[in-house]
Amino acid sequence: SSAAMIGAVHRSPLLGSYREHPGLQYRLGSKCRVHLSIGLHKGWAIEGAVGSEFKIDCSYLSPNVSIATSIERSTEVYNVSVIVAQSVIDLVSYNMRSQCRLIDKVIIRGSPAPMDLYCVDLDYMSVEVDFTERPKVPWNTRQRFKVRQWMEQEKNAVLQKDLSEILETDEVIAQMRECFTVEFFQLFNMGYQNYSQGEWQVARRILMDIRSRLAPTDGPCMALLKFMEFHHDFDAPKEWAGVRDLVGY
């Protein structure tokens, strides 16, 4: 659903029209666009009304809320749209897990133990705005009822499927994932394993090869290379255990 939402945002003709706004282009550049970043984590939370006699809001209270927020913020570190924590990966099928890419193992604010981070690779810049003319349907009580029925049927149909199939059969999601080849995933996995085991010179060579041949702007590659270079000049410290600190995010 996260991938579908990102695809819908970038296909929206209304949001697409904002890209042509002169004021936004002047302030944000010609490539500005509305986008989503999503962090997924599983855990308990207390839902309730929080506030004072002047203002009350519905809120969720839990250390897991802070962890989920930190995971979402880490999308900026790795320059990806969707990051999934190990707590969620443990709940999904093998096929769904195989569609996610392990990109790091980190310590996050609020988490009692290090956690693996996975990303769902999506090239949203490849999505074109959908200018297809929509049918003009009178929006009344009857139409709302019919739409609710249709949405309920669609939801039930999706729940009967292996969700990993949607990443391959959905036209927009498949388009966003088309540039991520088997060779890309295999090489990155090799590079990540060398990074995790402290073989940083080998990891550097593999990740640089990915950037030069397959994915020049891949965020996780750049994030790992930046960490290894600026903190340790590609020489893993003796106490390296394959875990980096993201407490500041």
Side-chain angles (χ1 to χ4, degrees), residues 108-159:
I108 282 185
R109 184 190 302 275
S111 175
M115 64 171 64
D116 290 330
L117 295 183
Y118 295 74
C119 75
V120 179
D121 291 293
L122 301 168
D123 177 22
Y124 60 85
M125 296 298 289
S126 66
V127 178
E128 300 291 336
V129 176
D130 181 13
F131 290 108
T132 305
E133 190 74 22
R134 299 296 193 276
K136 295 181 179 180
V137 179
W139 197 240
N140 50 39
T141 303
R142 184 185 177 198
Q143 290 298 333
R144 287 191 179 94
F145 177 72
K146 291 175 69 175
V147 168
R148 283 198 298 270
Q149 282 187 317
W150 178 82
M151 291 178 66
E152 188 66 26
Q153 291 173 356
E154 288 292 301
K155 182 180 74 173
N156 292 333
V158 168
L159 292 176

Side-chain angles (χ1 to χ4, degrees), residues 22 28 36 41-42 98 183 205 210 229:
L28 303 177
L36 294 175
H41 172 61
K42 173 254 182 184
S98 65
E183 181 185 9
R205 186 171 66 251
I210 293 173
E229 178 181 9

Side-chain angles (χ1 to χ4, degrees), residues 58-70:
C58 180
S59 183
Y60 296 89
L61 303 177
S62 170
N64 292 302
V65 175
S66 299
I67 294 172
T69 301
S70 297

Side-chain angles (χ1 to χ4, degrees), residues 85-102:
Q86 182 67 48
S87 57
V88 176
I89 292 295
D90 290 340
L91 301 175
V92 303
S93 67
Y94 172 81
N95 290 336
M96 189 68 205
R97 181 180 302 193
S98 65
Q99 300 287 348
C100 303
R101 175 165 51 131
L102 175 60

